[in-house]
Amino acid sequence: MTDPSPPGSKLDTTVAHPARRYNYWLGGKDNFAADRESGDQVAAAFPTVRIAARANREFLKRTVEFLVAEAGIRQFLDIGTGLPTADNIHEVAQRIDPRSRAVYVDNDPLVMSHARALLTSSPEGRTVYLERDIRDPGSILDAPELRDTLDLGQPVGLTLVAVLHFVRDHENPYGVVRRLVDALPSGSYLVLSHGTYDGLPAGVVERLEQANAASGGLSRTRSRAEVDRFFEGLELVEPGVVPVAEWRPAPGAEIPDPVDICMYGGVARVR
């Protein structure tokens, strides 16, 4: 995510944006030259980045299925939504229970315009879209659209998937997550995935950091211990914090090597 911007901010196509770059890696067409250039720089250093993007997307799908089918969650707050693709959160949830609701949040105007145009809810459920930045959780939680859509007195599935590595240390990532989680009642769940350099050779890390610097220092990867900190005080769901492809994979699914994905994921219940 880029620097915080107010709703209705102007779309800047000259600067790479994580959502559009992610769209490029997934084979989408909703991206610009700056996004493709940045994406290619990362792919040159980390050739399996497209495998990682797909694995992360599948992790999101499995966790939503778990929350609806097993944990009884019927409302979701998704921050760092990204551009619409197959099996968006409300679509996965509403296949199980059409009454499910979702609030999508992103700070890219392109994401929001596409979401409003393409993502339609079932008649029984509801979807709402907010142009906000994760670094300002208060503006998200206080938004009238969120309060009109979600009942914060009932459990919520908070999904922060592949977004926190764009919140750098001086932007208080742990405080942001705590502020969001503290606003949710007992029985809610946090779904989180986060990029890491764990297990990568030093040469690959160096090249990735060069690509990151070239795009303005978009991301800040974190170690397993640092990712674990986001779940402090919560009740982790088995198998805990693991490489995203290893979180409850489908029977018989081919599981990529963790170093080809470099992404941890986990699900935890709010006590």
Side-chain angles (χ1 to χ4, degrees):
M1 302 179 75
T2 51
D3 290 335
S5 303
S9 56
K10 183 179 178 181
L11 174 65
D12 187 352
T13 64
T14 67
V15 178
H17 190 281
R20 302 193 301 263
R21 188 173 64 178
Y22 191 67
N23 172 265
Y24 174 56
W25 287 332
L26 287 172
K29 298 180 180 179
D30 298 309
N31 47 75
F32 300 99
D35 310 306
R36 295 188 289 273
E37 180 181 356
S38 176
D40 288 342
Q41 289 172 339
V42 173
F46 185 54
T48 58
V49 67
R50 290 176 174 84
I51 296 174
R54 290 193 296 271
N56 188 67
R57 192 72 191 176
E58 287 299 312
F59 166 77
L60 175 61
K61 178 183 175 182
R62 294 195 306 276
T63 57
V64 172
E65 289 172 340
F66 162 77
L67 290 183
V68 180
E70 299 186 40
I73 298 296
R74 296 296 183 269
Q75 46 183 5
F76 292 85
L77 173 57
D78 178 56
I79 304 177
T81 295
L83 284 149
T85 184
D87 284 332
N88 300 286
I89 285 177
H90 75 282
E91 294 168 333
V92 174
Q94 289 178 358
R95 280 201 295 267
I96 302 171
D97 189 332
R99 298 170 297 173
S100 299
R101 296 182 167 209
V103 173
Y104 290 110
V105 182
D106 206 286
N107 71 344
D108 182 1
L110 183 67
V111 168
M112 291 295 95
S113 64
H114 279 61
R116 293 186 183 101
L118 298 176
L119 300 184
T120 57
S121 172
S122 69
E124 302 92 334
R126 189 176 176 192
T127 57
V128 168
Y129 313 97
L130 299 177
E131 189 181 332
R132 299 287 193 279
D133 195 289
I134 189 173
R135 299 175 190 85
D136 187 5
S139 73
I140 298 171
L141 294 167
D142 293 339
E145 300 94 329
L146 182 146
R147 298 284 175 163
D148 289 345
T149 305
L150 304 183
D151 179 359
L152 296 187
Q154 298 296 320
V156 174
L158 170 63
T159 55
L160 305 176
V161 173
V163 63
L164 285 166
H165 44 245
F166 300 114
V167 182
R168 288 156 290 189
D169 292 343
H170 70 278
E171 295 166 322
N172 192 23
Y174 297 104
V176 165
V177 173
R178 179 49 53 194
R179 173 74 174 86
L180 292 166
V181 169
D182 283 350
L184 305 180
S186 175
S188 297
Y189 284 81
L190 170 64
V191 175
L192 185 152
S193 69
H194 197 297
T196 186
Y197 286 155
D198 286 1
L200 285 178
V204 174
V205 173
E206 182 179 1
R207 291 192 293 274
L208 280 170
E209 281 299 284
Q210 290 171 351
N212 187 41
S215 62
L218 281 176
S219 64
R220 196 302 203 183
T221 61
R222 293 183 171 91
S223 67
R224 165 65 187 273
E226 290 174 308
V227 175
D228 285 346
R229 278 188 60 195
F230 287 112
F231 293 101
E232 285 182 356
L234 306 179
E235 182 183 333
L236 275 167
V237 174
E238 290 294 332
V241 177
V242 295
V244 289
E246 297 178 15
W247 197 92
R248 302 195 177 194
E254 183 176 347
I255 300 177
D257 191 311
V259 297
D260 288 338
I261 299 177
C262 289
M263 187 85 67
Y264 288 120
V267 178
R269 184 178 183 275
V270 178
R271 293 192 172 103

